[in-house]
Amino acid sequence: HFRGGDDCDSKTNHNVWVQAEIGHNKEGFEERRKEFEGQFSLSCDAPWVQVPDFFQICFDERSFSVSVDCAGLEPGLHCARVVAKWSQRPELGVQFSFPITVVKPEPADGAAMDFGQTNFAPGEKRRVFLTPPPGATWVDIAVEDRRPAGDDTTRLMVLHAVQMLDGDAFRDNEAKHYLRTSPRERIVKSVPVRPGAVLEICLARYWSVQGLTEASLGVSWRGVKPESSEVGIPQGGFGKSVVTSFLGTETVQPSAKFGAWETTLRPSSFSVTAGKSEYDAVIDGSGVYSLVLEYEIKFEEAGDATFKAKGLNGHLYESEFESQMCMAYHGKKLLGTSDAFADKIKCPKGTISVRFLVRHKDETALDGLKDMLLVVSRDCSAPVDCYSDFGSASKGGDKFKRKQLKKGKSCVVFFAPPAHDKLPKGCKEGDVLRGSVTYEWQSGTREGEGKRPGGFPITWTVPPKPTKKDEVKPFTASPPDKRTALEKMAEDLRDWKVSRASNSVGTKDFKSLYDDALSSYPDWLPLLLLNAKHTHACHATPLKGEDGGEDYEPTAEDVVKACDSVIERVDEEALAKFLGVKHDAKDAERNEEKKVRDRERSALVDCLGRKCLVLSGPAFDAAYRSLHKWSKKSDEGKLSAVELKRAEARGMRGRALE
């Protein structure tokens, strides 16, 4: 089989090896093998193939030479067959034969090629074979209905384009379109192409179409070629691609996006069993062994997932292994199954268990799969920013702007990965994001898609999650600590007593702890504030007396009195003067005073808020006005109950719900 390349433009010689099959009956095999001698006459029905007239073979393998001269062949498909018959008894017919196929592509003729008009008869098809020119990444195939105007019927045409590449299935490199055309209508379809492989284009009318069908076929090669067909973004860096225009002037505006998220799993357990059923037996009587691998993965969100064994999937009849059955479970519920060609399975939130079955008649062949990786692929959407230089990429500057790339010129594109908060939920270190990148600008004035369908692959391995860093606090000067050791101990003792009393707010132990601290520090504002908090807490939830003691159930007036005892100790005029002026952070004395003033303002807001919660009517309004004078935006959370009470009192139900 010759499909493009240098062999289609020259004369080549090839050896064909022939082996005689003597028979499988062991009785008399050696005698038959020694006595066998075959004399054949060779012939070919094509003048561009030359073979020897005669060929003789004994029991050993032997070859003869075949000469194929493709230099004089016209572009297109050419077939020939070499046949061998017994020289003494040709009437027995052909004993062996083999075909010779030559696919000779059309010579490249610039960036555009026109193949003229065809009047399609029933069952007729137009096939052309082309070699993509260097630098072409896709081709625009134009089909134009050439019927004269006035015919108001439509015609259904079938357009099929395919490239045959070693190691790839046809479906991975083909495109098929059904075109419904009207007279004088022109339809352009864009098809991606790979370099170095012959592109076959076939155009035919649909089998059920009746009437005159006239259409023309033409192609235009397009695209800019990247230096590498796949872009990989390194961890902590930027991806880079150099693109060149080989065919003509192209407008470049890169666009990239991640659309798939892959997580790789190791099996948590495995088991190998021998088949016991008659269905597990091979023709020669040997059995089949089954390997079952089990995996687990936790889904943060529900969604579709594809479970892939990339070392096995995509190969069926030519695979060395059988089955390749994958089953996904949520608990004991079977969610779905897939095989060698993995399908999406709808998975809920939670832990998903996966069982993968693969079989082989040789148990030792399964040993290499006991630690097989399973790739879980899920859909996602994460942007990739494109830049024209490294400096813009490193500082997050201006994105890549549209530019024209003349024939033979190149440009550089840098790709920045998405920020961590843009990643899908549950994405962790080591996961892989896959997507596509296109380099061309999709202009609305040009036919076809205007860019390579499907683009080029781009990948990124997710790095470790960034650690949370404390916000940088502004510099504030502090005065030198001039306290003596005795003074420090006294203040530490005071703070300890206040802390113990604070932990007892709303309990029967508070009174004794508070009275003891109050005797030593009668004017300490934080201690008085604790009394207001305790009185308010017991007003809401009274304390029950023990051993016949009296219940402690303070009234609203008691709460107001406790709060007023705190408010009275705050010089509101001095506080307003201090907070109304911006102070230098480098002034140590002012910073110390600011701590005291902030403590006073916080105590005012707390006590005024508690008064609002127990008062009503004009008294509430007066307390609320005072509270509004001292509160800040940062106090909204702890004053939400006050705002709710005010909204309900005024009939503002929508505000209350908010």
Side-chain angles (χ1 to χ4, degrees):
H1 185 89
F2 304 90
R3 194 176 183 89
D6 295 336
D7 289 344
C8 289
D9 296 322
S10 60
K11 183 177 181 179
T12 56
N13 295 320
H14 307 272
N15 287 331
V16 178
W17 292 86
V18 181
Q19 173 69 56
E21 292 290 343
I22 307 301
H24 298 287
N25 190 354
K26 296 182 179 180
E27 185 177 352
F29 174 77
E30 288 298 329
E31 289 74 9
R32 296 197 308 274
R33 181 170 175 268
K34 293 177 182 179
E35 295 175 357
F36 176 80
E37 180 180 353
Q39 297 180 353
F40 301 94
S41 58
L42 304 177
S43 63
C44 182
D45 55 359
W48 43 274
V49 178
Q50 296 179 356
V51 296
D53 294 333
F54 297 98
F55 172 66
Q56 183 174 357
I57 186 174
C58 296
F59 55 84
D60 289 329
E61 187 180 33
R62 195 177 180 189
S63 67
F64 62 89
S65 178
V66 177
S67 177
V68 181
D69 187 3
C70 303
L73 297 179
E74 295 292 328
L77 177 64
H78 304 272
C79 298
R81 179 173 290 275
V82 176
V83 299
K85 300 181 180 180
W86 290 108
S87 299
Q88 293 82 4
R89 301 189 62 183
E91 67 275 7
L92 295 179
V94 177
Q95 299 302 303
F96 68 86
S97 66
F98 58 89
I100 299 176
T101 304
V102 176
V103 175
K104 190 168 185 178
E106 298 279 349
D109 187 17
M113 303 175 69
D114 186 8
F115 301 103
Q117 177 177 326
T118 302
N119 299 329
F120 288 92
E124 183 181 357
K125 54 183 176 287
R126 178 71 186 274
R127 299 174 72 186
V128 294
F129 301 91
L130 310 170
T131 300
T137 57
W138 90 87
V139 60
D140 286 336
I141 305 175
V143 177
E144 183 176 356
D145 193 326
R146 291 296 186 89
R147 288 177 294 154
D151 187 349
D152 58 354
T153 60
T154 60
R155 295 288 185 269
L156 184 59
M157 307 287 291
V158 183
L159 176 64
H160 186 211
V162 63
Q163 282 184 295
M164 188 174 70
L165 297 172
D166 292 340
D168 285 1
F170 289 122
R171 64 178 174 276
D172 296 333
N173 301 286
E174 71 172 349
K176 193 173 185 179
H177 301 281
Y178 292 89
L179 314 177
R180 189 171 293 278
T181 63
S182 300
R184 298 301 175 182
E185 183 181 3
R186 177 183 171 90
I187 299 178
V188 178
K189 292 295 182 181
S190 300
V191 176
V193 295
R194 302 269 290 273
V198 174
L199 173 67
E200 177 183 350
I201 301 175
C202 181
L203 179 65
R205 76 180 197 179
Y206 196 62
W207 66 272
S208 62
V209 171
Q210 298 181 358
L212 177 66
T213 304
E214 297 180 357
S216 63
L217 179 66
V219 299
S220 297
W221 303 103
R222 297 285 308 279
V224 293
K225 183 176 177 58
E227 186 179 35
S228 176
S229 60
E230 181 173 349
V231 178
I233 302 179
Q235 291 189 357
F238 306 101
K240 178 183 176 181
S241 179
V242 180
V243 295
T244 307
S245 177
F246 289 95
L247 301 175
T249 301
E250 290 282 357
T251 304
V252 177
Q253 188 174 35
S255 175
K257 181 180 180 181
F258 290 125
W261 159 34
E262 293 184 348
T263 303
T264 305
L265 306 178
R266 288 282 189 185
S268 57
S269 63
F270 68 88
S271 61
V272 179
T273 58
K276 300 178 181 179
S277 169
E278 61 181 6
Y279 299 105
D280 297 321
V282 189
I283 297 177
D284 59 6
S286 59
V288 175
Y289 295 88
S290 300
L291 170 65
V292 178
L293 301 164
E294 297 190 2
Y295 304 83
E296 276 193 1
I297 182 172
K298 185 177 181 180
F299 279 37
E300 298 290 342
E301 294 179 341
D304 294 339
T306 306
F307 302 92
K308 304 176 182 179
K310 293 192 174 183
L312 298 176
N313 288 166
H315 299 272
L316 189 60
Y317 300 112
E318 67 274 22
S319 175
E320 291 291 333
F321 297 90
E322 300 178 13
S323 294
Q324 299 187 41
M325 296 299 298
C326 180
M327 294 151 282
Y329 295 87
H330 182 236
K332 295 183 178 180
K333 179 182 178 181
L334 177 63
L335 302 175
T337 61
S338 63
D339 52 19
F341 303 99
D343 296 322
K344 289 185 177 181
I345 298 176
K346 192 172 186 63
C347 299
K349 179 181 178 180
T351 301
I352 306 299
S353 302
V354 181
R355 301 184 68 195
F356 194 91
L357 169 67
V358 61
R359 307 199 309 169
H360 198 277
K361 62 181 181 181
D362 185 2
E363 183 179 4
T364 58
L366 297 174
D367 291 341
L369 301 180
K370 291 179 179 178
D371 202 29
M372 183 181 69
L373 298 176
L374 186 72
V375 177
V376 183
S377 178
R378 287 163 279 184
D379 294 337
C380 70
S381 180
V384 179
D385 293 331
C386 305
Y387 300 91
S388 58
D389 58 84
F390 183 82
S392 298
S394 59
K395 67 180 182 181
D398 294 337
K399 307 294 191 299
F400 194 103
K401 295 182 179 179
R402 185 167 67 242
K403 66 170 61 176
Q404 280 196 339
L405 206 60
K406 294 184 178 181
K407 183 177 180 179
K409 298 296 182 179
S410 303
C411 69
V412 182
V413 184
F414 290 89
F415 302 92
H420 196 273
D421 58 356
K422 301 295 184 181
L423 300 181
K425 186 177 180 181
C427 192
K428 61 182 185 302
E429 178 184 357
D431 290 353
V432 178
L433 297 186
R434 298 186 182 275
S436 63
V437 53
T438 57
Y439 298 98
E440 302 81 11
W441 176 54
Q442 188 175 5
S443 172
T445 59
R446 302 193 70 167
E447 297 177 311
E449 294 189 21
K451 58 183 179 180
R452 189 179 196 266
F456 293 92
I458 182 171
T459 60
W460 179 54
T461 302
V462 178
K465 183 179 179 180
T467 55
K468 293 183 178 180
K469 298 181 179 179
D470 296 335
E471 295 183 0
V472 179
K473 297 181 180 179
F475 171 77
T476 55
S478 299
D481 191 353
K482 298 180 180 180
R483 296 176 301 170
T484 64
L486 189 60
E487 290 174 338
K488 291 180 181 179
M489 184 182 70
E491 291 184 6
D492 290 342
L493 179 61
R494 178 198 64 193
D495 295 340
W496 178 79
K497 287 186 176 183
V498 172
S499 174
R500 292 298 301 269
S502 176
N503 294 334
S504 302
V505 169
T507 68
K508 58 182 178 58
D509 297 328
F510 176 80
K511 186 75 169 68
S512 58
L513 294 173
Y514 173 74
D515 291 342
D516 179 76
L518 187 65
S519 62
S520 303
Y521 317 104
D523 295 323
W524 184 238
L525 197 65
L527 181 61
L528 299 176
L529 181 60
L530 289 182
N531 183 49
K533 292 181 179 180
H534 175 74
T535 306
H536 187 210
C538 294
H539 172 70
T541 308
L543 284 176
K544 298 297 182 181
E546 296 181 359
D547 299 330
E550 296 182 358
D551 296 343
Y552 179 56
E553 189 175 355
T555 63
E557 288 77 9
D558 295 332
V559 176
V560 172
K561 183 178 179 181
C563 291
D564 286 340
S565 66
V566 177
I567 297 173
E568 291 170 356
R569 284 171 170 77
V570 177
D571 187 348
E572 296 189 31
E573 184 177 353
L575 178 62
K577 287 182 179 180
F578 183 86
L579 297 179
V581 180
K582 186 176 181 180
H583 302 283
D584 186 4
K586 297 181 181 180
D587 190 337
E589 294 182 0
R590 288 289 185 180
N591 291 335
E592 283 299 309
E593 185 179 358
K594 186 177 184 301
K595 293 179 182 179
V596 176
R597 296 302 184 184
D598 286 342
R599 187 163 58 233
E600 291 177 348
R601 190 202 67 83
S602 179
L604 270 178
V605 171
D606 188 283
C607 290
L608 288 171
R610 295 181 190 278
K611 287 179 65 175
C612 290
L613 292 176
V614 298
L615 295 175
S616 60
F620 171 85
D621 294 336
Y624 184 82
R625 284 193 297 270
S626 298
L627 173 64
H628 186 68
K629 182 171 62 175
W630 295 107
S631 63
K632 298 194 300 185
K633 187 174 180 62
S634 58
D635 300 320
E636 290 180 353
K638 59 184 178 183
L639 297 179
S640 58
V642 177
E643 296 294 340
L644 177 62
K645 180 179 178 180
R646 181 170 180 266
E648 290 177 343
R650 295 195 171 195
M652 303 166 63
R653 298 182 179 178
R655 181 65 182 273
L657 288 174
E658 182 184 358

